[in-house]
Amino acid sequence: MKKLLLLVLFLPIVIAKAQTSTVHIIPQPVDVKQRPGTFLLTKATVVAYAQPESRTVAEMLATKLSTPTGYTFTAKPSKLTTPGTIQLSLNSLPNAQLGNEGYTVDVSPKVIKIAANKPAGLFYGMQTLLQLFPKEMASTSLAKSSWTAPCVRITDYPRFGWRGVMLDVSRHFFSKEDVMRYIDEIAQLKYNTFHWHLTDDQGWRIEIKSLPRLTQVGAWRVPRIGKIGQLAPPKAGEAPTDGGFYTQEDIKEVVRYAQERNVTIVPEIDVPGHSMAAIAAYPELSCTKDTNTRVNAGSNFSEWYGNGKFKMFIDNTLNPSDEHVYAFLDKVFTEVAALFPNPYIHAGGDECYKGYWENDPGCKALMQKMNMKHSEELQSYFMKRVEQILKAKGKKLIGWDEILEGGIAPEATVMSWRGIKGGIEAAKLGHEVVMTPNQYAYIDYMQSDPTVEPPIYSTLRLKTCYNYEPVPDSVDAKLILGGQANLWTEAVSTLSHAEYMTYPRCWALADVYWSPKESKNWEGFIPRMETQFERADLAGINYARSAYDPIVTTTLKGNKLVASMDTEIPGLDVFYTIDDSVPGRYANKYGTPIEIPEGPITLRVITYRAGKPIGRMLTLKRDDLRKRAK
């Protein structure tokens, strides 16, 4: 009898644990309470919306549910919650805890209720509900599954108001369709800001009708394949056929698409540096006025010395002393402001080379007139003029943290990318900040060992992303609007590659920007990530499995070279060889650091889980191991 009583008492705990293992939601909700039972989706299920403002989300949900199940759902106006109903409704009395983007999802065996204060919250509640159903719900074609959702009560709301992802479409052009697909993907993860980097040295991507040469000339470059910075410059007579741009009608379509998914688009027009494409179209905008300037195709046009110091071989900066430049910018921002109905326009401000300014008579005269002592003050003057242009159009200036140099514009918002220092400085000056430090949020960086990843400047592993904390201890948390991931595309030319660089790192950062700080747990994130892998497979979304790869570090202990091996994901076995054989589960199993003998030695390392290979094999020669020794 005692044993039976213990079994009865123990059984609910087992059931609860089993159900918990199936609730794998990204980002992690604030509160999930599980209950016995499931809701079964059938062809008789009704998708209902209680208010007209809920209709758009209800129609989206009906479409999402119809595609993989094969059932034909349509959204219907109804306040009734009869059995078999999925109802979306706006709270008649706003719930202060939920704010504008929070929601509740209540799943019982008979009814599912999604409630929120605003349609944005319903949209995010829908995303959570879809993740409660089996992974096959993510399929883009007819699939087979039980179509059940566990009974839960979820209360959820975001930690930060700015949850962004930046896509650079200047270095490589992405079609309108690709951009909309990318927006749809990040919206499913509850990101609400799409930072669209539209102009740079390698291309001007937005139609400005009053300045047609910006796209006639600035959107096109000579075709080149290879690593940017190492490609040949244009040859005489070579046709600029590589590129593209978005018409204003394209922009309007993308903006509407994003708005339906609760995504605000922040356009970036990068000035005064990074302006080679604009100068190729209108050479008179620069100090040198070089009519031979072309849109850069990936050739080396700069030399970097460290600590942010560099020299440009080609003038890619707008002339801050020329009033025609500000007339040009007024035309650009007039049209940009009309296309994007959000408060911000990003004006860049980063990596502006001032050498050409320092030698320009007009700039020297302006410095003397304004009693400037350093050329950084010229950029401050420029950005303050830009702020006034934007303010006249009802927009706020946001820029990279270089806009602090020489004196920040009075009402500017700072995007801190060179670590967190600029963000701290801006916040202490009373400015709002978006935290996007390169060592935590630059998703163009390698995800694993340089021997198995396309090489680029640095490495950013998934666990590092996940462990990021956007609010420094020394600042007022209210001034940290949030953060974002940045995908620069110097080495990324296709949407598939963009997805590979974005996921799973943007799954990790979704937790960082949405979920409570207290709920972060790396080991708990792993099963949610692995469920997301399965959903992505069915949705046709590319992603990286780099987190399974082994990590090899080396040290010198006297004359001895010692290799240590580790993994990001706990519970993996690491096997290695140094005898030129291929490692497998019968090879040496790593336990403690090993000495790498002298001679032509090659270390090969691979990870296994449950007796099967799971990570990529690293092949490292002794000389390479010696170079990475600390």
Side-chain angles (χ1 to χ4, degrees):
M1 191 65 167
K2 288 181 180 178
K3 290 181 179 178
L4 181 59
L5 180 59
L6 285 172
L7 179 61
V8 171
L9 292 172
F10 181 67
L11 189 59
I13 298 173
V14 173
I15 292 172
K17 286 185 176 180
Q19 288 183 342
T20 299
S21 68
T22 65
V23 179
H24 292 166
I25 298 167
I26 294 178
Q28 178 67 39
V30 172
D31 183 65
V32 180
K33 289 184 170 63
Q34 294 200 242
R35 300 176 296 200
T38 59
F39 176 92
L40 177 63
L41 185 73
T42 71
K43 61 182 179 181
T45 299
V46 174
V47 178
Y49 57 93
Q51 299 91 3
E53 298 92 333
S54 311
R55 177 177 177 175
T56 298
V57 179
E59 289 175 343
M60 281 187 182
L61 177 59
T63 299
K64 290 280 189 181
L65 296 174
S66 297
T67 299
T69 62
Y71 305 145
T72 304
F73 296 112
T74 57
K76 300 178 180 179
S78 176
K79 293 186 178 181
L80 300 177
T81 53
T82 53
T85 298
I86 302 175
Q87 188 186 64
L88 289 77
S89 64
L90 296 174
N91 296 321
S92 55
L93 293 175
N95 182 334
Q97 184 185 37
L98 299 183
N100 291 333
E101 296 182 295
Y103 63 89
T104 58
V105 172
D106 197 334
V107 180
S108 71
K110 294 184 178 180
V111 174
I112 295 176
K113 298 178 183 178
I114 303 176
N117 296 332
K118 301 285 186 179
L122 294 179
F123 179 82
Y124 293 137
M126 174 187 73
Q127 302 303 339
T128 291
L129 175 61
L130 291 169
Q131 291 189 52
L132 289 173
F133 284 107
K135 63 181 183 294
E136 289 81 8
M137 188 59 76
S139 177
T140 58
S141 59
L142 188 64
K144 290 184 178 180
S145 184
S146 59
W147 306 126
T148 59
C151 291
V152 292
R153 167 75 180 183
I154 296 175
T155 301
D156 199 15
Y157 45 86
R159 181 183 177 193
F160 294 106
W162 186 301
R163 307 179 303 280
V165 181
M166 187 220 60
L167 179 64
D168 166 21
V169 297
S170 175
R171 274 48 180 268
H172 283 99
F173 179 68
F174 289 78
S175 70
K176 173 184 66 177
E177 292 74 19
D178 282 350
V179 170
M180 289 193 291
R181 171 171 164 151
Y182 195 75
I183 289 171
D184 188 58
E185 290 171 6
I186 65 172
Q188 292 175 40
L189 301 166
K190 303 183 176 73
Y191 287 97
N192 66 354
T193 303
F194 177 64
H195 176 170
W196 206 356
H197 186 80
L198 289 163
T199 74
D200 215 297
D201 297 315
Q202 288 77 25
W204 184 284
R205 305 299 183 200
I206 178 171
E207 178 188 27
I208 304 298
K209 292 183 178 180
S210 61
L211 297 160
R213 286 179 60 82
L214 284 173
T215 47
Q216 291 170 357
V217 174
W220 306 94
R221 62 191 186 220
V222 298
R224 294 287 185 270
I225 296 176
K227 188 175 180 180
I228 198 165
Q230 299 179 1
L231 303 178
K235 299 175 183 177
E238 191 175 9
T241 57
D242 181 18
F245 65 93
Y246 309 103
T247 67
Q248 294 197 2
E249 288 305 309
D250 290 335
I251 298 285
K252 291 174 184 176
E253 184 178 350
V254 174
V255 168
R256 284 194 299 269
Y257 187 86
Q259 286 175 327
E260 291 171 356
R261 288 154 181 79
N262 196 48
V263 172
T264 295
I265 298 182
V266 176
E268 181 179 357
I269 307 298
D270 202 350
V271 293
H274 287 277
S275 295
M276 198 179 299
I279 292 168
Y282 297 99
E284 65 273 15
L285 298 173
S286 67
C287 289
T288 57
K289 298 177 172 51
D290 184 356
T291 56
N292 291 317
T293 300
R294 299 289 181 267
V295 179
N296 187 266
S299 63
N300 181 25
F301 57 90
S302 62
E303 186 175 30
W304 290 80
Y305 309 119
N307 291 326
K309 305 296 183 183
F310 64 103
K311 178 181 180 179
M312 294 292 302
F313 306 136
I314 303 173
D315 188 0
N316 72 336
T317 55
L318 303 179
N319 183 349
S321 69
D322 189 344
E323 287 301 313
H324 292 96
V325 167
Y326 301 105
F328 163 83
L329 290 174
D330 189 81
K331 289 181 180 180
V332 169
F333 288 127
T334 294
E335 297 191 34
V336 171
L339 290 169
F340 294 95
N342 75 87
Y344 294 95
I345 290 179
H346 202 299
D350 61 315
E351 297 176 335
C352 177
Y353 178 63
K354 301 169 182 70
Y356 294 102
W357 293 359
E358 291 166 355
N359 295 317
D360 179 72
C363 289
K364 289 179 180 179
L366 177 60
M367 289 184 69
Q368 185 175 9
K369 177 184 176 182
M370 303 296 292
N371 196 28
M372 298 178 186
K373 295 179 174 58
H374 305 287
S375 56
E376 284 76 12
E377 293 175 274
L378 279 173
Q379 178 162 334
S380 174
Y381 170 85
F382 179 93
M383 298 308 293
K384 288 174 181 176
R385 292 284 301 269
V386 170
E387 182 178 66
Q388 290 305 309
I389 292 171
L390 294 179
K391 195 172 180 180
K393 302 176 196 317
K395 301 296 183 182
K396 297 179 183 178
L397 167 68
I398 185 169
W400 302 109
D401 57 53
E402 284 95 333
I403 67 175
L404 287 159
E405 297 169 4
I408 187 172
E411 299 174 39
T413 299
V414 171
M415 196 166 273
S416 187
W417 77 274
R418 296 177 300 176
I420 64 173
K421 181 181 177 183
I424 293 172
E425 181 183 345
K428 287 185 174 180
L429 291 171
H431 290 263
E432 293 181 327
V433 175
V434 176
M435 282 293 195
T436 177
N438 55 346
Q439 69 266 45
Y440 295 106
Y442 266 43
I443 58 173
D444 57 315
Y445 286 1
M446 294 176 289
Q447 305 178 66
S448 182
D449 196 276
T451 60
V452 292
E453 288 282 303
I456 203 165
Y457 324 110
S458 189
T459 299
L460 173 57
R461 291 188 176 274
L462 177 66
K463 189 175 181 180
T464 303
C465 287
Y466 188 82
N467 288 333
Y468 174 47
E469 168 49 45
V471 181
D473 293 334
S474 58
V475 304
D476 182 354
K478 293 179 182 178
L479 292 171
I480 307 300
L481 299 180
Q484 69 178 37
N486 294 330
L487 181 56
W488 302 101
T489 62
E490 287 94 333
V492 179
S493 60
T494 65
L495 178 63
S496 174
H497 193 181
E499 290 174 338
Y500 174 87
M501 302 303 286
T502 303
Y503 313 116
R505 288 184 291 191
C506 272
W507 300 343
L509 288 170
D511 265 19
V512 171
Y513 299 141
W514 176 281
S515 306
K517 178 181 178 180
E518 299 75 22
S519 72
K520 286 174 65 175
N521 180 288
W522 172 244
E523 288 74 17
F525 173 73
I526 303 304
R528 292 189 288 123
M529 176 190 74
E530 292 180 331
T531 298
Q532 200 72 12
F533 282 162
E534 296 176 335
R535 292 182 183 131
D537 287 336
L538 291 164
I541 297 172
N542 196 17
Y543 57 87
R545 297 175 61 88
S546 309
Y548 294 118
D549 295 345
I551 301 170
V552 177
T553 56
T554 56
T555 56
L556 282 174
K557 295 185 177 180
N559 294 324
K560 294 180 179 180
L561 180 63
V562 177
S564 299
M565 303 172 208
D566 201 356
T567 61
E568 282 187 90
I569 293 180
L572 304 185
D573 296 319
V574 180
F575 295 96
Y576 69 93
T577 63
I578 55 173
D579 61 0
D580 279 342
S581 64
V582 176
R585 60 177 175 162
Y586 302 114
N588 301 302
K589 185 176 180 179
Y590 178 77
T592 58
I594 64 167
E595 181 182 343
I596 305 298
E598 294 283 350
I601 299 296
T602 299
L603 173 67
R604 291 180 173 86
V605 189
I606 194 168
T607 54
Y608 271 60
R609 179 195 273 170
K612 295 182 179 181
I614 194 166
R616 291 174 291 188
M617 184 173 70
L618 305 186
T619 303
L620 304 164
K621 296 187 179 299
R622 192 183 194 282
D623 288 346
D624 297 328
L625 292 168
R626 175 66 179 79
K627 290 175 183 176
R628 63 174 68 182
K630 297 179 180 178

